[in-house]
Amino acid sequence: MDYPVKILIVEDEMIIAANISLQLSKLGYKVTGIVSWGEEVLPHVKQNKPDIVLLDVQLKGKLDGIETARVMQNEFDIPIIYLTANADESNFNRAKTTNPFAFISKPFKKLDLQRAIELTVNRLECSLDSGSSATLANNSPFILSDCIFVRHREKMVKVAIQDILYIEAERNYCRIYSKTKEYLLVITLKGLDEKLPDKYFLRIHRSFVVNISHIDEIATSYVVIARKAIPLSKSLKEELLKRLQTI
């Protein structure tokens, strides 16, 4: 990755969390924050979009780390590295069902943390390598007239066209925002735009394609969809207005 990898730390022991944060910063990673409660994870992820989540299995509160992972995975496909001081068989088997990228047993050394993250980043880079034809073939969306099948957590899932709000470019991949979930696709926005049905979708900015049926407001330099202000390029505004008149 050609940008600092963003990591969220979910750990209720603040001394341990602060130490991890310091180590990650020294290794060149960007810490998006330290969260102590499972209930706080989803709002943080929505706002900060970390690339990796370091997640303590034994969290205080209603949600432990494994339940927190399940809640997060209902909406986001973000790699998880578990931190645990209790690696018993029961917890391990529960944690396996969330498909973590790694386990780190407490107390751990700096090298343990470094290697687990480096291996995770390496797997991410391999999966996001746009130059790999095999990767693209396995992850490219399959588009029909009324739906898109996208790869999500090792399987293809159906996303109705009418449920897609907008799509945002993130370097050499893009993120679909639907009414209920987000999906990260290994394809450029340009590549996806060329496959999408013109009846519903229009590129209004170099980084955004929108489902025009979901536009709530049009301002001078942006549109609003589901309370999200999305930039609108001057050169593309006229085309958008024309399309809206023909609906």
Side-chain angles (χ1 to χ4, degrees):
M1 294 183 175
D2 57 359
Y3 62 97
V5 173
K6 298 185 294 183
I7 301 176
L8 167 63
I9 300 169
V10 186
E11 167 63 66
D12 56 14
E13 297 291 341
M14 292 309 297
I15 294 177
I16 294 175
N19 182 46
I20 292 172
S21 179
L22 179 62
Q23 292 185 39
L24 293 178
S25 297
K26 288 181 177 179
L27 291 169
Y29 301 112
K30 180 179 179 181
V31 176
T32 63
I34 296 172
V35 171
S36 302
W37 298 81
E39 292 81 358
E40 298 173 334
V41 170
L42 196 56
H44 181 96
V45 169
K46 287 181 177 178
Q47 183 173 354
N48 298 280
K49 296 185 175 66
D51 299 301
I52 298 170
V53 176
L54 282 177
L55 182 55
D56 186 12
V57 171
Q58 288 84 28
L59 291 176
K60 299 171 184 175
K62 294 181 180 179
L63 299 176
D64 68 3
I66 299 167
E67 289 301 321
T68 298
R70 291 198 180 106
V71 170
M72 184 181 70
Q73 289 176 339
N74 284 333
E75 296 190 40
F76 299 94
D77 192 11
I78 301 175
I80 293 169
I81 298 175
Y82 280 121
L83 308 172
T84 179
N86 182 12
D88 62 55
E89 194 72 15
S90 175
N91 273 330
F92 180 74
N93 288 333
R94 283 181 63 223
K96 276 198 306 183
T97 64
T98 62
N99 300 310
F101 276 51
F103 281 85
I104 304 177
S105 296
K106 299 178 184 177
F108 54 84
K109 299 177 182 178
K110 179 181 178 181
L111 188 59
D112 297 331
L113 179 66
Q114 182 178 350
R115 285 177 174 170
I117 294 174
E118 285 181 358
L119 287 171
T120 300
V121 171
N122 185 64
R123 285 176 62 182
L124 285 175
E125 288 176 336
C126 288
S127 68
L128 297 175
D129 183 4
S130 61
S132 169
S133 58
T135 299
L136 285 173
N138 290 334
N139 291 278
S140 292
F142 182 58
I143 300 174
L144 301 177
S145 60
D146 62 346
C147 66
I148 299 177
F149 282 87
V150 300
R151 184 165 293 280
H152 183 62
R153 298 210 297 273
E154 306 304 321
K155 59 185 178 181
M156 299 298 287
V157 297
K158 179 180 177 180
V159 183
I161 293 287
Q162 64 183 14
D163 289 340
I164 296 175
L165 303 175
Y166 61 93
I167 305 164
E168 182 178 2
E170 294 190 13
R171 297 171 179 84
N172 58 354
Y173 56 106
C174 57
R175 190 180 298 272
I176 289 180
Y177 291 83
S178 75
K179 290 180 178 180
T180 58
K181 292 184 180 181
E182 297 179 18
Y183 303 93
L184 191 65
L185 305 186
V186 187
I187 187 172
T188 63
L189 187 62
K190 179 181 178 182
L192 182 59
D193 186 28
E194 291 172 350
K195 298 173 180 287
L196 292 169
D198 293 337
K199 179 180 178 181
Y200 302 99
F201 296 97
L202 181 68
R203 191 165 186 167
I204 64 168
H205 184 270
R206 68 177 182 274
S207 298
F208 288 92
V209 168
V210 300
N211 186 333
I212 57 179
S213 66
H214 287 298
I215 294 176
D216 299 313
E217 297 177 33
I218 302 177
T220 303
S221 59
Y222 65 90
V223 303
V224 176
I225 297 179
R227 299 182 180 179
K228 165 76 173 179
I230 299 170
L232 172 61
S233 298
K234 287 183 179 179
S235 60
L236 300 172
K237 186 174 182 179
E238 184 177 349
E239 175 63 22
L240 173 61
L241 294 176
K242 286 181 181 178
R243 290 283 300 279
L244 289 173
Q245 288 173 5
T246 61
I247 295 178

